Amino acid sequence: MATKNIKPSLADILFPEARDQQDFAEGILSVPPEQRKLHTETYDFTVGTVVEKLVDQSIFIPHFQRRYVWTDPQASRLIESLIIQCPVPVIYLNQEGNETLSVIDGNQRLTSIKRFLQNEFTLKGLTAYPELEGSRYFELDPRFQRHIQNRTLRCIVILKDTHPQVKFDVFERLNSGATKLTPQELRHGLYFGDLMSLAATVVKENDLLSFLEIKHDKRMKSEELVLRFWALSEDFDSYRKPLSIFINDFAERNRVLSPERKASLKSSFSDVITGVKNLLGPLSFRIFDLDMRVESTFNSALYDALMIGISMLQRKNAVKEISMRDAQQALANLVEKDEKFRKSISIATSDDTQVRYRVDAIVNLFKK
């Protein structure tokens, strides 16, 4: 039987975000009904107060936010809107555990206002008050300065007692930039702490980008792969789809780590990735046929199966002693002849039954 190509569906190609959106919806339904409510408070902060809070970091721009991209003319028009009392869109903030507020939506606006009040650019491209063209903040008449400082910005704060998954869903709904953030980029900001920093360190120490032939990992895919291994390996028996939400729960529980816990997580990943490399070498996590012709350079479902399966075997010291060539042939044979395994790494890959089947198949394939 010829090996069937495992390709994404046409819908996945044309609408690549559809599955992520389905995961978000399923994630909300996994939260008890009484906890699905969004807890918010509304504040009208003056511009002066907001800038003070940005300076002392009681309001801050989190890591997942895209960098500042507005031009000076764009920022100038915002300042002009403040002067003519044109309404400014609502700013959305997230209340952190330490009572600071992270910016969910409004980074470009807040950064522009702060830059102007700190005299970092001159006003350009004004239409209502061209007389102010070329002025920095300190050059404006004090009455204009006070007027700008006293303008209010409507801020909606999502309170910390909101369920984390509800917050994640809201972040995704507000994620409307030209380049939408990936679930891992959102996760990195929402749960930033020891775990996210450790994942980035583990990627570097294990040279994961080179091994997976990822030239530029601007969307944090490699860090997500580390997190999904940790989440699945530590609580595999309790796994329930969607996978994205399962990883979120793990990230929430492990935001703060002790030195011992960090060391344990680091070694768990490095031990398993080394074990997989020893078995399959350069063909690790790839789909290939019995002639070693590669059909897919990386398959994330196969990654799960190999990493979790080998991890289980290592804990019992039960990995079969086998040559790399024989291991590669065994895996190619499994993909070609086991239709259920093929489906488990290509269709509805986050379903509980699919995840368990492919992991069990790898365990049986490589156990002593």
Side-chain angles (χ1 to χ4, degrees), residues 137 141-151:
Y137 175 73
D141 185 288
R143 288 169 290 185
F144 274 116
Q145 294 177 0
R146 287 192 294 271
H147 179 72
I148 294 171
Q149 288 261 10
N150 291 332
R151 279 297 313 278

Side-chain angles (χ1 to χ4, degrees), residues 4-15:
K4 297 181 180 178
N5 288 332
I6 299 174
K7 298 180 179 178
S9 69
L10 179 60
D12 286 334
I13 295 171
L14 297 179
F15 310 105

Side-chain angles (χ1 to χ4, degrees), residues 225-290:
L225 290 173
V226 174
L227 291 177
R228 71 192 270 163
F229 164 71
W230 283 336
L232 286 168
S233 65
E234 295 210 345
D235 204 14
F236 185 71
D237 291 338
S238 300
Y239 173 72
R240 295 292 181 274
K241 73 171 185 177
L243 179 58
S244 177
I245 308 311
F246 188 75
I247 299 172
N248 289 352
D249 291 342
F250 178 81
E252 170 71 14
R253 295 194 308 271
N254 291 275
R255 194 168 181 175
V256 178
L257 302 171
S258 67
E260 295 78 16
R261 176 77 167 138
K262 288 180 183 179
S264 175
L265 287 170
K266 282 178 69 173
S267 64
S268 70
F269 184 86
S270 61
D271 289 348
V272 176
I273 196 77
T274 299
V276 174
K277 287 179 182 179
N278 290 339
L279 270 176
L280 298 165
L283 293 180
S284 302
F285 315 130
R286 301 184 177 206
I287 304 297
F288 53 91
D289 61 22
L290 288 169

